[in-house]
Amino acid sequence: MKIALLGKGKTGGKVIELINDNNLPHTYTVFDRSNPMTVEQLRLHDVILSFLPGDVFVDNIEIIKSSGIPVVTGSTGFKWTDELIQGLTAPWVYATNFSLGMNLVHEMINTLSKARNLFNDYSFSIHEVHHTKKLDAPSGTALTWKDWVNDDVEITSERTGDVIGDHILTFTTANEKITLRHEALDRKIFAEGALWACEKVRDLNIGLHNFQSLSLKELLK
Ligand SMILES: NC(=O)c1ccc[n+]([C@@H]2O[C@H](COP(=O)([O-])OP(=O)(O)OC[C@H]3O[C@@H](n4cnc5c(N)ncnc54)[C@H](OP(=O)(O)O)[C@@H]3O)[C@@H](O)[C@H]2O)c1
């Protein structure tokens, strides 16, 4: 696969590491500030993989769309609107978190989200911790978890050290507490999931697809 890799920072860099360390059968071109993307350049690839900051991805979205190449994007910090995806001519996959293990969490949260069937008085909270350079807060993952819980959820954010991603969901009643925690130990988990999506994206219909739904389908096969 020829990959147009948008951004080779902390996460994009892991994609490169994974390809090189494991001799994966992919080649890549990096587009960043020193090599700005053009429609013509993007078209030389099979798939576009973005780990640009969200605002930069949105600023460049018309160029990316015009290329007509399938897209896998992990850029966060913006909301997907109808306007953003208007006129897509290729399949796109997005994720706020490319961890394949997050699917297991999804299933667990699905169970917790049924709390209202058993309890009248309870609360949910999410605490997320990330490195100090993360630009958005709360994290895209915390917001996705809140959607999965589908209830009132108080979210708190902490920025410290080089924490890759630590999410803790707590369900509390007067007399019991359930805690669910997902810790990312290496950014390679995002690179792995993103490359998995790059393999799948070309077989999808034109339009925007959610990574979680795609990989959940695989989990529940
Ligand atoms: N979905 C997921 O699983 C997942 C996982 C981790 C991170 N993320 C998200 O991925 C994004 C990137 O995170 P990161 O931690 O890898 O960021 P990062 O280390 O800051 O890397 C950002 C990359 O984007 C490039 N860039 C920044 N501004 C640019 C511009 N104006 N034009 C062209 N290139 C530009 C940088 O290139 P220069 O060196 O040229 O500035 C760098 O290569 C964030 O939105 C983050 O939340 C998603």
Side-chain angles (χ1 to χ4, degrees), residues 21-176:
D21 291 356
N22 298 290
N23 291 317
L24 299 180
H26 308 311
T27 58
Y28 57 85
T29 314
V30 171
F31 296 94
D32 55 12
R33 262 187 270 248
S34 63
N35 184 31
M37 66 184 100
T38 63
V39 174
E40 293 69 31
Q41 286 289 323
L42 292 178
R43 281 193 181 142
L44 300 175
H45 301 83
D46 300 314
V47 62
I48 294 167
L49 172 55
S50 169
F51 279 112
L52 290 173
D55 56 336
V56 181
F57 178 80
V58 171
D59 285 349
N60 286 282
I61 201 160
E62 291 308 323
I63 298 178
I64 298 169
K65 273 196 229 174
S66 301
S67 72
I69 304 296
V71 171
V72 171
T73 175
S75 299
T76 66
F78 65 95
K79 261 199 180 312
W80 287 99
T81 59
D82 290 345
E83 195 192 336
L84 277 185
I85 56 170
Q86 201 174 21
L88 291 193
T89 57
W92 287 27
V93 171
Y94 76 97
T96 54
N97 191 315
F98 273 116
S99 146
L100 287 161
M102 201 50 85
N103 289 299
L104 302 177
V105 173
H106 190 174
E107 282 307 278
M108 294 178 211
I109 293 185
N110 210 13
T111 303
L112 285 170
S113 73
K114 298 186 174 112
R116 69 172 71 85
N117 297 340
L118 287 178
F119 298 91
N120 294 322
D121 222 4
Y122 61 86
S123 66
F124 281 107
S125 65
I126 294 172
H127 184 62
E128 57 97 354
V129 190
H130 281 88
H131 55 90
T132 48
K133 298 206 172 80
K134 184 165 177 66
L135 298 177
D136 48 323
S139 66
T141 302
L143 294 170
T144 302
W145 281 25
K146 182 178 162 129
D147 278 353
W148 291 346
V149 172
N150 193 23
D151 209 324
D152 289 335
V153 182
E154 186 205 357
I155 304 180
T156 49
S157 302
E158 185 181 333
R159 297 288 171 261
T160 181
D162 189 34
V163 178
I164 297 168
D166 190 359
H167 291 84
I168 302 159
L169 170 66
T170 309
F171 167 77
T172 313
T173 72
N175 300 310
E176 58 193 323

Side-chain angles (χ1 to χ4, degrees), residues 1 46-47 70-72 90-93 196-206 209 214 217:
M1 215 171 8
D46 300 314
V47 62
V71 171
V72 171
W92 287 27
V93 171
W196 182 91
C198 287
E199 303 272 7
K200 302 276 175 197
V201 68
R202 287 180 294 176
D203 299 330
L204 301 174
N205 296 331
I206 292 172
H209 303 262
L214 267 187
K217 245 192 233 161

